[in-house]
Short mmCIF file of all heavy atoms in Angstrom, two decimals:
data_model
loop_
_atom_site.label_atom_id
_atom_site.label_comp_id
_atom_site.label_asym_id
_atom_site.label_seq_id
_atom_site.Cartn_x
_atom_site.Cartn_y
_atom_site.Cartn_z
N MET Q 915 -31.31 -5.20 29.52
CA MET Q 915 -31.12 -4.23 30.53
C MET Q 915 -32.32 -3.15 30.60
O MET Q 915 -32.79 -2.64 29.58
CB MET Q 915 -29.77 -3.48 30.46
CG MET Q 915 -29.40 -2.75 31.55
SD MET Q 915 -27.65 -2.56 31.57
CE MET Q 915 -27.48 -0.88 32.17
N GLY Q 916 -32.89 -2.75 31.70
CA GLY Q 916 -34.00 -1.78 31.80
C GLY Q 916 -33.65 -0.39 31.90
O GLY Q 916 -32.41 -0.07 31.71
N ASP Q 917 -34.64 0.43 31.85
CA ASP Q 917 -34.46 1.76 31.88
C ASP Q 917 -33.81 2.34 33.16
O ASP Q 917 -34.01 1.75 34.29
CB ASP Q 917 -35.71 2.54 31.60
CG ASP Q 917 -36.33 2.50 30.29
OD1 ASP Q 917 -35.45 2.28 29.25
OD2 ASP Q 917 -37.56 2.60 30.07
N ARG Q 918 -32.95 3.38 33.05
CA ARG Q 918 -32.53 4.05 34.29
C ARG Q 918 -33.30 5.42 34.36
O ARG Q 918 -33.39 6.03 33.35
CB ARG Q 918 -31.04 4.32 34.20
CG ARG Q 918 -30.20 3.05 34.06
CD ARG Q 918 -29.74 2.53 35.44
NE ARG Q 918 -29.16 3.44 36.28
CZ ARG Q 918 -28.99 3.25 37.62
NH1 ARG Q 918 -29.47 2.19 38.24
NH2 ARG Q 918 -28.28 4.10 38.33
N TRP Q 919 -33.50 5.76 35.50
CA TRP Q 919 -34.31 6.92 35.85
C TRP Q 919 -33.46 7.99 36.66
O TRP Q 919 -32.65 7.48 37.44
CB TRP Q 919 -35.57 6.71 36.58
CG TRP Q 919 -36.74 6.14 35.90
CD1 TRP Q 919 -36.85 5.95 34.47
CD2 TRP Q 919 -37.92 5.57 36.48
NE1 TRP Q 919 -37.99 5.23 34.26
CE2 TRP Q 919 -38.68 5.08 35.37
CE3 TRP Q 919 -38.39 5.45 37.77
CZ2 TRP Q 919 -39.95 4.49 35.62
CZ3 TRP Q 919 -39.63 4.93 37.97
CH2 TRP Q 919 -40.44 4.48 36.92
N HIS Q 920 -33.75 9.21 36.43
CA HIS Q 920 -33.26 10.31 37.27
C HIS Q 920 -34.39 10.95 37.93
O HIS Q 920 -35.34 11.30 37.42
CB HIS Q 920 -32.53 11.39 36.47
CG HIS Q 920 -31.85 12.54 37.29
ND1 HIS Q 920 -30.89 12.30 37.99
CD2 HIS Q 920 -32.35 13.74 37.51
CE1 HIS Q 920 -30.67 13.37 38.74
NE2 HIS Q 920 -31.42 14.24 38.44
N VAL Q 921 -34.39 10.97 39.30
CA VAL Q 921 -35.43 11.53 40.19
C VAL Q 921 -34.99 12.65 40.95
O VAL Q 921 -33.98 12.76 41.53
CB VAL Q 921 -35.77 10.36 41.23
CG1 VAL Q 921 -36.85 10.71 42.06
CG2 VAL Q 921 -36.04 8.91 40.55
N GLU Q 922 -35.72 13.62 40.79
CA GLU Q 922 -35.58 14.88 41.53
C GLU Q 922 -36.83 15.31 42.23
O GLU Q 922 -38.04 15.03 41.82
CB GLU Q 922 -35.38 16.04 40.50
CG GLU Q 922 -34.03 15.87 39.61
CD GLU Q 922 -33.85 17.08 38.76
OE1 GLU Q 922 -34.63 17.99 38.80
OE2 GLU Q 922 -32.79 16.99 37.96
N VAL Q 923 -36.44 16.00 43.30
CA VAL Q 923 -37.72 16.54 44.15
C VAL Q 923 -37.52 18.06 44.12
O VAL Q 923 -36.46 18.55 44.55
CB VAL Q 923 -37.73 16.03 45.63
CG1 VAL Q 923 -38.73 16.68 46.41
CG2 VAL Q 923 -37.95 14.62 45.61
N ASP Q 924 -38.58 18.84 43.71
CA ASP Q 924 -38.51 20.28 43.81
C ASP Q 924 -38.87 20.63 45.10
O ASP Q 924 -39.97 20.66 45.65
CB ASP Q 924 -39.46 20.92 42.88
CG ASP Q 924 -39.53 22.41 42.71
OD1 ASP Q 924 -39.03 22.94 43.70
OD2 ASP Q 924 -39.88 23.00 41.77
N ARG Q 925 -37.77 21.02 46.00
CA ARG Q 925 -38.14 21.26 47.40
C ARG Q 925 -38.80 22.66 47.63
O ARG Q 925 -39.27 22.83 48.73
CB ARG Q 925 -36.85 21.14 48.17
CG ARG Q 925 -36.53 19.67 48.37
CD ARG Q 925 -35.14 19.34 49.18
NE ARG Q 925 -33.93 19.62 48.56
CZ ARG Q 925 -33.43 18.70 47.66
NH1 ARG Q 925 -34.09 17.61 47.32
NH2 ARG Q 925 -32.26 18.83 47.06
N SER Q 926 -38.93 23.34 46.58
CA SER Q 926 -39.74 24.62 46.80
C SER Q 926 -41.20 24.22 46.70
O SER Q 926 -41.94 25.01 47.15
CB SER Q 926 -39.26 25.73 45.75
OG SER Q 926 -39.78 25.26 44.42
N LEU Q 927 -41.53 23.13 46.14
CA LEU Q 927 -42.95 22.71 46.15
C LEU Q 927 -43.27 21.64 47.24
O LEU Q 927 -44.34 21.59 47.71
CB LEU Q 927 -43.18 21.92 44.75
CG LEU Q 927 -43.21 22.84 43.50
CD1 LEU Q 927 -43.30 22.02 42.31
CD2 LEU Q 927 -44.16 23.87 43.56
N CYS Q 928 -42.32 20.95 47.72
CA CYS Q 928 -42.52 19.82 48.65
C CYS Q 928 -43.11 20.40 50.01
O CYS Q 928 -42.64 21.38 50.56
CB CYS Q 928 -41.11 19.18 49.00
SG CYS Q 928 -41.34 17.84 50.18
N ILE Q 929 -44.22 19.84 50.45
CA ILE Q 929 -44.97 20.21 51.64
C ILE Q 929 -44.68 19.20 52.74
O ILE Q 929 -45.21 19.28 53.82
CB ILE Q 929 -46.42 20.48 51.35
CG1 ILE Q 929 -47.11 19.11 50.79
CG2 ILE Q 929 -46.63 21.65 50.40
CD1 ILE Q 929 -48.66 19.23 50.72
N GLY Q 930 -43.93 18.10 52.51
CA GLY Q 930 -43.56 17.16 53.59
C GLY Q 930 -44.73 16.29 53.98
O GLY Q 930 -44.82 15.83 55.04
N SER Q 931 -45.55 15.96 52.96
CA SER Q 931 -46.79 15.08 53.24
C SER Q 931 -46.29 13.67 53.52
O SER Q 931 -46.99 12.80 53.94
CB SER Q 931 -47.70 15.06 52.06
OG SER Q 931 -47.17 14.39 50.89
N ALA Q 932 -45.08 13.32 53.01
CA ALA Q 932 -44.49 11.99 53.20
C ALA Q 932 -45.10 10.97 52.51
O ALA Q 932 -45.00 9.78 52.65
CB ALA Q 932 -44.46 11.54 54.67
N GLN Q 933 -45.96 11.22 51.45
CA GLN Q 933 -46.64 10.27 50.53
C GLN Q 933 -45.55 9.41 49.83
O GLN Q 933 -45.70 8.30 49.67
CB GLN Q 933 -47.64 10.83 49.62
CG GLN Q 933 -48.91 11.32 50.36
CD GLN Q 933 -49.64 10.20 51.01
OE1 GLN Q 933 -49.84 9.22 50.52
NE2 GLN Q 933 -49.76 10.46 52.30
N CYS Q 934 -44.53 10.19 49.37
CA CYS Q 934 -43.49 9.49 48.71
C CYS Q 934 -42.89 8.32 49.56
O CYS Q 934 -42.65 7.23 49.10
CB CYS Q 934 -42.43 10.46 48.21
SG CYS Q 934 -41.65 11.51 49.51
N VAL Q 935 -42.51 8.70 50.84
CA VAL Q 935 -41.89 7.78 51.89
C VAL Q 935 -42.88 6.59 52.09
O VAL Q 935 -42.56 5.47 52.12
CB VAL Q 935 -41.46 8.51 53.10
CG1 VAL Q 935 -41.02 7.57 54.04
CG2 VAL Q 935 -40.41 9.47 52.77
N HIS Q 936 -44.15 6.86 52.19
CA HIS Q 936 -45.21 5.83 52.38
C HIS Q 936 -45.20 4.87 51.13
O HIS Q 936 -45.25 3.67 51.37
CB HIS Q 936 -46.64 6.42 52.55
CG HIS Q 936 -47.55 5.49 52.57
ND1 HIS Q 936 -47.87 4.61 53.64
CD2 HIS Q 936 -48.61 5.03 51.57
CE1 HIS Q 936 -48.91 3.83 53.36
NE2 HIS Q 936 -49.40 4.08 52.19
N HIS Q 937 -45.12 5.32 49.88
CA HIS Q 937 -45.19 4.49 48.78
C HIS Q 937 -43.86 3.92 48.37
O HIS Q 937 -43.87 2.84 47.82
CB HIS Q 937 -45.81 5.26 47.54
CG HIS Q 937 -47.17 5.59 47.73
ND1 HIS Q 937 -48.22 4.68 47.25
CD2 HIS Q 937 -47.93 6.60 48.09
CE1 HIS Q 937 -49.38 5.17 47.58
NE2 HIS Q 937 -49.19 6.42 47.95
N ALA Q 938 -42.85 4.49 48.70
CA ALA Q 938 -41.42 4.06 48.27
C ALA Q 938 -40.53 4.23 49.48
O ALA Q 938 -39.61 5.21 49.30
CB ALA Q 938 -41.10 4.65 47.04
N PRO Q 939 -40.62 3.62 50.48
CA PRO Q 939 -39.81 3.96 51.62
C PRO Q 939 -38.33 3.69 51.43
O PRO Q 939 -37.45 4.35 52.00
CB PRO Q 939 -40.18 2.87 52.84
CG PRO Q 939 -41.09 1.86 52.00
CD PRO Q 939 -41.54 2.47 50.72
N ASP Q 940 -37.90 2.89 50.44
CA ASP Q 940 -36.52 2.70 50.04
C ASP Q 940 -36.00 3.86 49.09
O ASP Q 940 -34.87 3.90 48.83
CB ASP Q 940 -36.23 1.36 49.46
CG ASP Q 940 -36.42 0.21 50.57
OD1 ASP Q 940 -36.26 0.49 51.83
OD2 ASP Q 940 -36.83 -0.91 50.20
N GLY Q 941 -36.99 4.52 48.57
CA GLY Q 941 -36.72 5.38 47.44
C GLY Q 941 -36.57 6.95 47.85
O GLY Q 941 -36.01 7.74 47.16
N PHE Q 942 -37.23 7.31 49.02
CA PHE Q 942 -37.21 8.64 49.49
C PHE Q 942 -37.19 8.64 50.92
O PHE Q 942 -37.33 7.67 51.79
CB PHE Q 942 -38.67 9.40 49.19
CG PHE Q 942 -38.78 9.29 47.61
CD1 PHE Q 942 -39.44 8.38 46.91
CD2 PHE Q 942 -38.40 10.48 46.99
CE1 PHE Q 942 -39.66 8.51 45.64
CE2 PHE Q 942 -38.51 10.56 45.52
CZ PHE Q 942 -39.16 9.58 44.90
N HIS Q 943 -36.51 9.75 51.43
CA HIS Q 943 -36.48 10.09 52.82
C HIS Q 943 -36.71 11.54 53.09
O HIS Q 943 -36.60 12.29 52.18
CB HIS Q 943 -35.17 9.58 53.54
CG HIS Q 943 -33.96 10.41 52.98
ND1 HIS Q 943 -33.33 10.04 51.89
CD2 HIS Q 943 -33.35 11.45 53.42
CE1 HIS Q 943 -32.34 10.89 51.55
NE2 HIS Q 943 -32.38 11.75 52.63
N LEU Q 944 -37.17 11.89 54.30
CA LEU Q 944 -37.32 13.33 54.61
C LEU Q 944 -36.24 13.74 55.49
O LEU Q 944 -35.90 13.01 56.36
CB LEU Q 944 -38.82 13.43 55.48
CG LEU Q 944 -40.02 13.18 54.73
CD1 LEU Q 944 -41.20 13.32 55.67
CD2 LEU Q 944 -40.14 13.83 53.39
N ASP Q 945 -35.88 15.13 55.41
CA ASP Q 945 -34.82 15.42 56.13
C ASP Q 945 -35.38 16.10 57.34
O ASP Q 945 -36.69 16.05 57.61
CB ASP Q 945 -33.97 16.47 55.36
CG ASP Q 945 -34.64 17.75 54.91
OD1 ASP Q 945 -35.76 18.09 55.40
OD2 ASP Q 945 -34.22 18.52 53.94
N ALA Q 946 -34.69 16.79 58.23
CA ALA Q 946 -35.17 17.36 59.50
C ALA Q 946 -36.11 18.43 59.17
O ALA Q 946 -36.99 18.75 60.08
CB ALA Q 946 -33.90 17.88 60.24
N GLY Q 947 -36.16 19.11 58.02
CA GLY Q 947 -37.16 20.07 57.74
C GLY Q 947 -38.32 19.57 57.04
O GLY Q 947 -39.14 20.30 56.54
N ARG Q 948 -38.53 18.30 57.00
CA ARG Q 948 -39.58 17.46 56.42
C ARG Q 948 -39.60 17.66 54.84
O ARG Q 948 -40.64 17.68 54.19
CB ARG Q 948 -40.91 17.77 56.97
CG ARG Q 948 -41.03 17.38 58.45
CD ARG Q 948 -42.43 17.19 58.94
NE ARG Q 948 -43.41 16.49 58.07
CZ ARG Q 948 -43.55 15.18 57.97
NH1 ARG Q 948 -42.81 14.40 58.72
NH2 ARG Q 948 -44.57 14.67 57.23
N GLN Q 949 -38.39 17.91 54.26
CA GLN Q 949 -38.33 17.91 52.85
C GLN Q 949 -37.89 16.63 52.28
O GLN Q 949 -36.89 16.03 52.81
CB GLN Q 949 -37.35 18.98 52.47
CG GLN Q 949 -37.81 20.46 52.87
CD GLN Q 949 -38.81 20.96 52.00
OE1 GLN Q 949 -38.69 21.27 50.87
NE2 GLN Q 949 -39.97 21.09 52.65
N SER Q 950 -38.54 16.17 51.14
CA SER Q 950 -38.19 15.02 50.50
C SER Q 950 -36.81 14.99 49.72
O SER Q 950 -36.56 16.00 49.19
CB SER Q 950 -39.36 14.56 49.67
OG SER Q 950 -39.04 13.33 49.03
N HIS Q 951 -36.20 13.84 49.75
CA HIS Q 951 -34.98 13.72 48.96
C HIS Q 951 -35.03 12.26 48.33
O HIS Q 951 -35.44 11.23 49.12
CB HIS Q 951 -33.75 13.71 49.91
CG HIS Q 951 -33.57 15.17 50.52
ND1 HIS Q 951 -32.93 16.03 49.94
CD2 HIS Q 951 -34.08 15.65 51.63
CE1 HIS Q 951 -32.86 17.15 50.76
NE2 HIS Q 951 -33.50 16.90 51.83
N PRO Q 952 -34.62 12.12 47.10
CA PRO Q 952 -34.54 10.78 46.60
C PRO Q 952 -33.35 10.05 47.26
O PRO Q 952 -32.31 10.64 47.42
CB PRO Q 952 -34.36 10.81 45.17
CG PRO Q 952 -33.83 12.26 44.90
CD PRO Q 952 -34.36 13.04 46.03
N ALA Q 953 -33.61 8.78 47.66
CA ALA Q 953 -32.44 7.91 48.28
C ALA Q 953 -31.38 7.88 47.22
O ALA Q 953 -30.14 7.96 47.56
CB ALA Q 953 -32.96 6.69 48.72
N ALA Q 954 -31.74 7.55 45.98
CA ALA Q 954 -30.71 7.50 44.89
C ALA Q 954 -31.18 8.19 43.68
O ALA Q 954 -32.13 7.79 43.02
CB ALA Q 954 -30.43 6.11 44.62
N PRO Q 955 -30.75 9.51 43.45
CA PRO Q 955 -31.18 10.19 42.25
C PRO Q 955 -31.13 9.47 41.07
O PRO Q 955 -32.01 9.71 40.11
CB PRO Q 955 -30.39 11.49 42.24
CG PRO Q 955 -29.85 11.61 43.62
CD PRO Q 955 -29.67 10.21 44.18
N ASP Q 956 -30.26 8.63 40.81
CA ASP Q 956 -30.17 7.81 39.54
C ASP Q 956 -30.47 6.41 39.97
O ASP Q 956 -29.72 5.83 40.75
CB ASP Q 956 -28.76 8.02 38.88
CG ASP Q 956 -28.60 9.35 38.26
OD1 ASP Q 956 -29.52 9.77 37.51
OD2 ASP Q 956 -27.80 10.12 38.83
N THR Q 957 -31.46 5.78 39.38
CA THR Q 957 -31.95 4.51 39.88
C THR Q 957 -32.48 3.70 38.73
O THR Q 957 -32.92 4.25 37.69
CB THR Q 957 -32.91 4.58 41.00
OG1 THR Q 957 -33.24 3.29 41.55
CG2 THR Q 957 -34.21 5.28 40.52
N ASP Q 958 -32.66 2.35 38.95
CA ASP Q 958 -33.37 1.65 37.87
C ASP Q 958 -34.81 1.92 38.05
O ASP Q 958 -35.39 2.30 39.07
CB ASP Q 958 -33.21 0.08 38.14
CG ASP Q 958 -31.83 -0.48 37.95
OD1 ASP Q 958 -31.18 0.12 37.15
OD2 ASP Q 958 -31.44 -1.37 38.72
N ALA Q 959 -35.47 1.88 36.79
CA ALA Q 959 -36.94 2.06 36.72
C ALA Q 959 -37.53 1.27 37.80
O ALA Q 959 -37.28 0.17 37.89
CB ALA Q 959 -37.46 1.80 35.28
N ASN Q 960 -38.61 1.86 38.53
CA ASN Q 960 -39.24 1.16 39.71
C ASN Q 960 -40.53 1.49 39.78
O ASN Q 960 -40.87 2.81 39.94
CB ASN Q 960 -38.30 1.52 40.79
CG ASN Q 960 -38.74 0.94 42.16
OD1 ASN Q 960 -39.99 1.04 42.50
ND2 ASN Q 960 -37.82 0.42 42.82
N GLU Q 961 -41.58 0.63 39.83
CA GLU Q 961 -42.94 0.94 39.95
C GLU Q 961 -43.27 1.73 41.28
O GLU Q 961 -44.05 2.63 41.27
CB GLU Q 961 -43.77 -0.26 39.86
CG GLU Q 961 -45.25 -0.05 39.87
CD GLU Q 961 -45.71 0.64 38.47
OE1 GLU Q 961 -45.06 0.43 37.52
OE2 GLU Q 961 -46.70 1.36 38.61
N LYS Q 962 -42.58 1.41 42.33
CA LYS Q 962 -42.82 2.00 43.73
C LYS Q 962 -42.42 3.54 43.54
O LYS Q 962 -43.17 4.46 44.15
CB LYS Q 962 -42.16 1.43 44.74
CG LYS Q 962 -42.72 0.03 45.11
CD LYS Q 962 -42.10 -0.54 46.46
CE LYS Q 962 -42.78 -1.84 46.67
NZ LYS Q 962 -44.08 -1.69 47.22
N ILE Q 963 -41.36 3.87 42.78
CA ILE Q 963 -40.85 5.31 42.64
C ILE Q 963 -41.94 6.08 41.80
O ILE Q 963 -42.28 7.17 42.26
CB ILE Q 963 -39.55 5.26 41.94
CG1 ILE Q 963 -38.35 4.66 42.77
CG2 ILE Q 963 -39.14 6.74 41.67
CD1 ILE Q 963 -37.94 5.44 44.03
N LEU Q 964 -42.37 5.28 40.69
CA LEU Q 964 -43.50 6.05 39.91
C LEU Q 964 -44.76 6.21 40.80
O LEU Q 964 -45.34 7.26 40.85
CB LEU Q 964 -43.89 5.17 38.71
CG LEU Q 964 -44.85 5.70 37.81
CD1 LEU Q 964 -44.46 7.14 37.26
CD2 LEU Q 964 -45.07 4.64 36.64
N GLU Q 965 -45.14 5.27 41.60
CA GLU Q 965 -46.40 5.39 42.48
C GLU Q 965 -46.18 6.53 43.40
O GLU Q 965 -47.00 7.42 43.59
CB GLU Q 965 -46.60 4.23 43.21
CG GLU Q 965 -47.10 2.98 42.41
CD GLU Q 965 -47.21 1.71 43.23
OE1 GLU Q 965 -47.17 1.75 44.50
OE2 GLU Q 965 -47.46 0.78 42.62
N ALA Q 966 -44.95 6.67 44.00
CA ALA Q 966 -44.61 7.79 44.92
C ALA Q 966 -44.77 9.17 44.17
O ALA Q 966 -45.33 10.09 44.76
CB ALA Q 966 -43.16 7.64 45.38
N ALA Q 967 -44.27 9.33 43.04
CA ALA Q 967 -44.41 10.51 42.24
C ALA Q 967 -45.88 10.73 42.01
O ALA Q 967 -46.22 12.00 42.15
CB ALA Q 967 -43.67 10.55 40.92
N GLU Q 968 -46.57 9.84 41.58
CA GLU Q 968 -47.96 10.06 41.24
C GLU Q 968 -48.87 10.34 42.45
O GLU Q 968 -49.79 11.08 42.37
CB GLU Q 968 -48.62 8.83 40.60
CG GLU Q 968 -48.04 8.46 39.18
CD GLU Q 968 -48.43 7.09 38.69
OE1 GLU Q 968 -48.80 6.32 39.39
OE2 GLU Q 968 -48.44 7.09 37.53
N SER Q 969 -48.39 9.96 43.72
CA SER Q 969 -49.14 10.21 44.83
C SER Q 969 -48.77 11.60 45.53
O SER Q 969 -49.56 12.02 46.37
CB SER Q 969 -48.78 9.14 45.80
OG SER Q 969 -47.52 9.25 46.44
N CYS Q 970 -47.81 12.22 45.01
CA CYS Q 970 -47.47 13.54 45.64
C CYS Q 970 -48.50 14.52 45.38
O CYS Q 970 -48.79 14.82 44.21
CB CYS Q 970 -46.06 14.03 44.98
SG CYS Q 970 -45.61 15.60 45.65
N PRO Q 971 -49.05 15.06 46.47
CA PRO Q 971 -50.10 16.02 46.26
C PRO Q 971 -49.79 17.38 45.55
O PRO Q 971 -50.76 18.03 45.10
CB PRO Q 971 -50.62 16.33 47.80
CG PRO Q 971 -49.44 15.94 48.55
CD PRO Q 971 -48.66 14.95 47.80
N VAL Q 972 -48.59 17.69 45.49
CA VAL Q 972 -48.12 18.97 44.78
C VAL Q 972 -47.27 18.76 43.60
O VAL Q 972 -46.71 19.68 43.14
CB VAL Q 972 -47.50 19.95 45.81
CG1 VAL Q 972 -48.43 20.37 46.86
CG2 VAL Q 972 -46.26 19.29 46.40
N GLU Q 973 -47.12 17.50 43.17
CA GLU Q 973 -46.30 17.09 42.04
C GLU Q 973 -44.91 17.59 42.14
O GLU Q 973 -44.35 18.15 41.11
CB GLU Q 973 -46.99 17.36 40.74
CG GLU Q 973 -48.31 16.64 40.46
CD GLU Q 973 -48.78 16.89 39.08
OE1 GLU Q 973 -48.34 17.67 38.28
OE2 GLU Q 973 -49.75 16.20 38.71
N ALA Q 974 -44.36 17.39 43.23
CA ALA Q 974 -42.93 17.91 43.49
C ALA Q 974 -41.88 16.89 42.95
O ALA Q 974 -40.66 17.33 42.89
CB ALA Q 974 -42.64 18.15 44.98
N ILE Q 975 -42.31 15.78 42.52
CA ILE Q 975 -41.30 14.77 42.13
C ILE Q 975 -41.33 14.68 40.68
O ILE Q 975 -42.39 14.48 40.00
CB ILE Q 975 -41.64 13.38 42.65
CG1 ILE Q 975 -41.69 13.47 44.24
CG2 ILE Q 975 -40.70 12.27 42.21
CD1 ILE Q 975 -42.20 12.19 44.89
N ALA Q 976 -40.13 14.77 40.01
CA ALA Q 976 -40.06 14.62 38.60
C ALA Q 976 -38.99 13.37 38.27
O ALA Q 976 -38.09 13.25 38.96
CB ALA Q 976 -39.40 15.92 38.00
N ILE Q 977 -39.49 12.56 37.21
CA ILE Q 977 -38.67 11.53 36.81
C ILE Q 977 -38.43 11.56 35.34
O ILE Q 977 -39.31 11.93 34.68
CB ILE Q 977 -39.50 10.15 37.20
CG1 ILE Q 977 -39.94 9.97 38.60
CG2 ILE Q 977 -38.67 8.96 36.63
CD1 ILE Q 977 -40.78 8.84 38.83
N THR Q 978 -37.16 11.54 35.01
CA THR Q 978 -36.83 11.48 33.56
C THR Q 978 -35.94 10.31 33.33
O THR Q 978 -35.34 9.64 34.22
CB THR Q 978 -35.99 12.77 33.24
OG1 THR Q 978 -34.92 12.81 34.11
CG2 THR Q 978 -36.93 14.06 33.42
N LEU Q 979 -35.90 9.89 31.95
CA LEU Q 979 -35.04 8.88 31.61
C LEU Q 979 -33.64 9.34 31.69
O LEU Q 979 -33.33 10.45 31.17
CB LEU Q 979 -35.26 8.35 30.11
CG LEU Q 979 -36.61 7.67 29.92
CD1 LEU Q 979 -36.88 7.36 28.40
CD2 LEU Q 979 -36.68 6.36 30.66
N SER Q 980 -32.67 8.66 32.30
CA SER Q 980 -31.41 9.09 32.54
C SER Q 980 -30.56 9.30 31.23
O SER Q 980 -29.96 10.35 31.14
CB SER Q 980 -30.47 8.06 33.34
OG SER Q 980 -31.02 8.02 34.65
N GLU Q 981 -30.80 8.59 30.28
CA GLU Q 981 -29.96 8.76 28.93
C GLU Q 981 -30.48 9.95 28.14
O GLU Q 981 -29.64 10.58 27.66
CB GLU Q 981 -29.97 7.41 28.09
CG GLU Q 981 -29.13 6.39 28.66
CD GLU Q 981 -29.06 5.25 27.83
OE1 GLU Q 981 -29.31 5.32 26.58
OE2 GLU Q 981 -28.75 4.13 28.26
N SER Q 982 -31.87 9.97 27.95
CA SER Q 982 -32.31 10.94 27.04
C SER Q 982 -32.95 12.17 27.68
O SER Q 982 -33.09 13.19 27.08
CB SER Q 982 -33.47 10.27 26.22
OG SER Q 982 -34.53 10.07 27.00
N GLY Q 983 -33.26 12.11 28.87
CA GLY Q 983 -33.83 13.38 29.70
C GLY Q 983 -35.40 13.41 29.37
O GLY Q 983 -36.07 14.28 29.82
N GLU Q 984 -35.88 12.35 28.69
CA GLU Q 984 -37.33 12.34 28.33
C GLU Q 984 -38.11 12.24 29.65
O GLU Q 984 -37.83 11.35 30.53
CB GLU Q 984 -37.57 11.20 27.41
CG GLU Q 984 -39.09 11.06 26.98
CD GLU Q 984 -39.30 9.84 26.15
OE1 GLU Q 984 -38.32 9.29 25.49
OE2 GLU Q 984 -40.54 9.45 25.97
N ALA Q 985 -39.23 12.92 29.68
CA ALA Q 985 -40.08 12.85 31.00
C ALA Q 985 -40.77 11.50 31.14
O ALA Q 985 -41.32 11.05 30.10
CB ALA Q 985 -41.06 14.03 30.91
N VAL Q 986 -40.77 11.01 32.34
CA VAL Q 986 -41.45 9.90 32.68
C VAL Q 986 -42.73 10.26 33.50
O VAL Q 986 -43.86 9.94 33.20
CB VAL Q 986 -40.57 8.77 33.47
CG1 VAL Q 986 -41.49 7.73 33.96
CG2 VAL Q 986 -39.40 8.30 32.59
N PHE Q 987 -42.42 11.12 34.50
CA PHE Q 987 -43.56 11.79 35.24
C PHE Q 987 -43.02 13.07 35.84
O PHE Q 987 -41.80 13.21 36.21
CB PHE Q 987 -43.76 10.96 36.42
CG PHE Q 987 -44.91 11.48 37.26
CD1 PHE Q 987 -46.28 11.04 36.81
CD2 PHE Q 987 -44.81 12.30 38.25
CE1 PHE Q 987 -47.47 11.56 37.53
CE2 PHE Q 987 -45.92 12.91 38.93
CZ PHE Q 987 -47.31 12.45 38.55
N PRO Q 988 -43.89 14.17 35.66
CA PRO Q 988 -45.08 14.18 35.09
C PRO Q 988 -45.02 13.92 33.55
O PRO Q 988 -44.07 14.44 32.98
CB PRO Q 988 -45.83 15.47 35.48
CG PRO Q 988 -44.59 16.29 35.79
CD PRO Q 988 -43.63 15.36 36.23
N PRO Q 989 -45.95 13.35 32.91
CA PRO Q 989 -45.63 13.09 31.46
C PRO Q 989 -45.89 14.51 30.66
O PRO Q 989 -46.52 15.39 31.06
CB PRO Q 989 -46.81 12.10 31.04
CG PRO Q 989 -47.77 12.37 32.18
CD PRO Q 989 -47.11 12.71 33.43
N GLU Q 990 -45.19 14.56 29.66
CA GLU Q 990 -45.18 15.81 28.78
C GLU Q 990 -46.53 15.64 28.05
O GLU Q 990 -47.04 14.71 27.64
CB GLU Q 990 -44.12 15.90 27.69
CG GLU Q 990 -42.73 16.07 28.45
CD GLU Q 990 -41.60 16.09 27.41
OE1 GLU Q 990 -41.86 15.65 26.28
OE2 GLU Q 990 -40.51 16.54 27.84
N GLU Q 991 -47.28 16.88 28.01
CA GLU Q 991 -48.50 16.85 27.31
C GLU Q 991 -48.51 17.15 25.84
O GLU Q 991 -47.59 17.74 25.48
CB GLU Q 991 -49.46 17.81 27.96
CG GLU Q 991 -49.67 17.52 29.37
CD GLU Q 991 -50.70 18.51 30.19
OE1 GLU Q 991 -51.45 19.07 29.54
OE2 GLU Q 991 -50.45 18.58 31.38
#
């Protein structure tokens, strides 16, 4: 069984660029205010979700391992 991720979008940072929707259209959607939301906050590890987080120009997307809370993105330094 693979890793499970918890995906969050910091809407105070989100600028509505829609890069997340472009990279992972099944993983994110924009609301009427052009703020991003994860389609499923708890999801299986997914390369498209990771690409979406990496593409966010303001790093508003955080991914952690569901079980441990360990950072997947952005990585801890």
Side-chain angles (χ1 to χ4, degrees):
M915 192 155 143
D917 287 333
R918 295 278 298 166
W919 286 350
H920 180 73
V921 181
E922 293 183 3
V923 176
D924 183 338
R925 286 185 277 288
S926 70
L927 294 176
C928 180
I929 60 171
S931 73
Q933 289 301 304
C934 55
V935 175
H936 173 74
H937 287 279
D940 294 332
F942 296 90
H943 64 273
L944 298 182
D945 64 19
R948 293 200 47 84
Q949 295 290 293
S950 177
H951 298 268
D956 294 299
T957 187
D958 290 331
N960 177 312
E961 189 65 31
K962 290 189 179 285
I963 298 288
L964 182 57
E965 287 175 12
E968 292 173 338
S969 73
C970 180
V972 294
E973 291 188 354
I975 301 169
I977 304 170
T978 55
L979 292 175
S980 292
E981 284 190 22
S982 67
E984 181 183 343
V986 174
F987 187 87
E990 293 178 347
E991 294 181 29

